[in-house]
Amino acid sequence: MAKNILICDDAAFMRMMIKDILTKNGYNIAGEAENGQIAVDKYMEVKPDLVMMDITMPEKDGIQALKEIRAKDPGANIIMCSAMGQQAMVIESIQSGAKDFIVKPFQADRVLEAVRKAVG
């Protein structure tokens, strides 16, 4: 059965790019969120197999959303994405329970490798 993935990014273009990579490779898109608060709400609503989460977003950033989702569902699979390859953010994401971290602009094969590693 295809895995359901929630895509969270404030840039519609980035959501579209990720959605394109994933759907072409047999994954289902469970939903999209343009900020961290919507990401948390959507996660609780659709319970996806995986979340692709941008770090820099309005209202609630990706790290806050990651922590909130993991507090509600310790088994949540979340991959962080960010244009900023800032070491501190990568470390905080992984310590907060992220399965992986992808730096933008990303290559399709890197996205798929991270997704397969997280949910098979």
Side-chain angles (χ1 to χ4, degrees), residues 2-113:
K3 299 290 183 188
N4 291 313
I5 301 175
L6 175 63
I7 301 171
C8 311
D9 198 305
D10 56 326
F13 173 73
M14 290 312 290
R15 292 197 308 270
M16 193 181 72
M17 274 180 54
I18 296 168
K19 185 162 50 173
D20 191 52
I21 292 167
L22 296 173
T23 53
K24 281 182 178 163
N25 286 277
Y27 294 96
N28 288 330
I29 305 309
E32 294 183 33
E34 58 274 5
N35 68 51
Q37 185 55 58
I38 294 171
V40 173
D41 296 342
K42 272 253 167 63
Y43 181 87
M44 298 317 292
E45 182 189 319
V46 300
K47 292 285 201 294
D49 298 301
L50 177 69
V51 181
M52 301 287 292
M53 179 90 70
D54 184 26
I55 286 184
T56 313
M57 292 186 290
E59 285 187 51
K60 183 176 285 180
D61 70 32
I63 292 176
Q64 285 176 292
L66 161 72
K67 289 175 178 174
E68 217 171 293
I69 290 170
R70 297 270 309 169
K72 293 175 182 185
D73 180 2
N77 291 311
I78 303 172
I79 295 173
M80 303 304 284
C81 313
S82 183
M84 300 172 291
Q86 294 175 337
Q87 208 59 37
M89 284 187 159
V90 174
I91 292 166
E92 189 178 353
S93 295
I94 300 300
Q95 285 174 339
S96 299
K99 296 281 189 233
D100 207 339
F101 191 95
I102 303 171
V103 180
K104 298 176 190 174
F106 36 68
Q107 306 299 315
D109 55 356
R110 175 66 185 104
V111 172
L112 293 168
E113 174 198 334

